[in-house]
Amino acid sequence: MFGTIFNTLMIIIGSIVGSVFKKGIKDEYHTILMQAMGLVAMGLGINAIVQHLPSSQYPVLFIVSLAIGGLLGQRLDLEGKFNALVNKYSKGNLAEGLSTAILLFCIGTLSIIGPIEAALKGNYTYLLANGMLDGITSIVLASTFGIGIAFAGIVLFLWQGSIYLIALLMESTINNSLLNEVTIVGGFLILASGLSILGIKKFNTLNLLPSLLIPPFLFLIIHFFHL
C-alpha cells in the first residue's frame, strides 16, 4: 500500500499548495484555469477511448455499461446526493471540481494498473509516477476550486486500496481485457466531465459512475460459468 499512500499524500499536498495560490488569483485567471482543466479532461478521456477501444474484445460492452450504469446511478441519484453533501459544507462550484478530480485521479490507466502491479508483483513504479502527476494536477484544480479537492485523495485511497485487495483475492481472474474495458468506460466519463466544465454540455457524470462496475461483473460471470 506504500504507493497508494504516496499517491494520496501528493494529492493532499498539492491541494494545500493550490489553495494557497487560489487566494492571489484574479477571477479571469480562475476562468482560464477552468477552461484548461476542461480541455485536459477532454483530452485524457479521448486518449483513453482511442487507445483502448480498438483492443476491446467486447465492442458493445461500453455501450451496455454506460446505459445500465447510468440507469442505476440515476435511480440512486448519486449526483444529487453528492452535490447536496458538498454544497452543505462549501460554497461555489466545488462539487463540480471535486467530481472531476475524483474521475481524473481514479479513472486512469496508472491508477487502475498501479495497485494491481503492486499487489501481484510488488511493483510501485506506476503508483509513484501517478502520484507525481496527481500532485501537479491537484495544484491546478485546488487553485481553481479550493482546498476541498483534497477530499479526492481520500476517495483515491479507498479506490486504489479496494483494487489492491481485489487483485490479491482474484489474482487468477484479473486480466488485461478487463482493465481495457474499464478504461474505455472511464474514458467516456472523463470526457463527459471535461464537456461539463467547459459548459458545452452538462452531464450528470456521477450518475454514470456505476458503469464502471458492469465490466467486472460481466467478467466474473464469464469466469465462474466458463462462458
Side-chain angles (χ1 to χ4, degrees), residues 105-180:
F105 295 152
C106 296
I107 317 302
T109 303
L110 293 177
S111 191
I112 295 174
I113 295 179
I116 294 176
E117 284 282 318
L120 303 183
K121 303 178 182 178
N123 179 15
Y124 296 100
T125 304
Y126 291 113
L127 287 176
L128 294 178
N130 197 54
M132 297 301 295
L133 292 171
D134 287 350
I136 296 172
T137 304
S138 63
I139 292 176
V140 178
L141 285 169
S143 67
T144 305
F145 299 103
I147 187 64
I149 294 298
F151 285 106
I154 299 175
V155 177
L156 175 121
F157 180 81
L158 296 174
W159 168 258
Q160 290 188 355
S162 298
I163 294 176
Y164 183 89
L165 293 175
I166 291 173
L168 290 177
L169 295 172
M170 301 173 57
E171 181 175 352
S172 61
T173 306
I174 293 178
N175 54 50
N176 290 330
S177 295
L178 172 57
L179 298 178
N180 195 62

Side-chain angles (χ1 to χ4, degrees), residues 5 11 15 17 47 58 73 76-77 98 153-154 170 180:
I5 293 173
I11 291 174
S15 298
V17 174
N47 179 68
Y58 307 92
L76 297 172
D77 191 23
L98 192 53
I154 299 175
M170 301 173 57
N180 195 62

Side-chain angles (χ1 to χ4, degrees), residues 192-221:
S193 181
L195 290 170
S196 295
I197 293 177
L198 292 173
I200 297 174
K201 171 65 178 179
K202 176 63 179 176
F203 289 90
N204 294 328
T205 314
L206 290 180
N207 284 350
L208 292 168
L209 273 182
S211 303
L212 294 168
L213 301 176
I214 306 303
F217 180 72
L218 175 64
F219 274 71
L220 277 175
I221 293 176

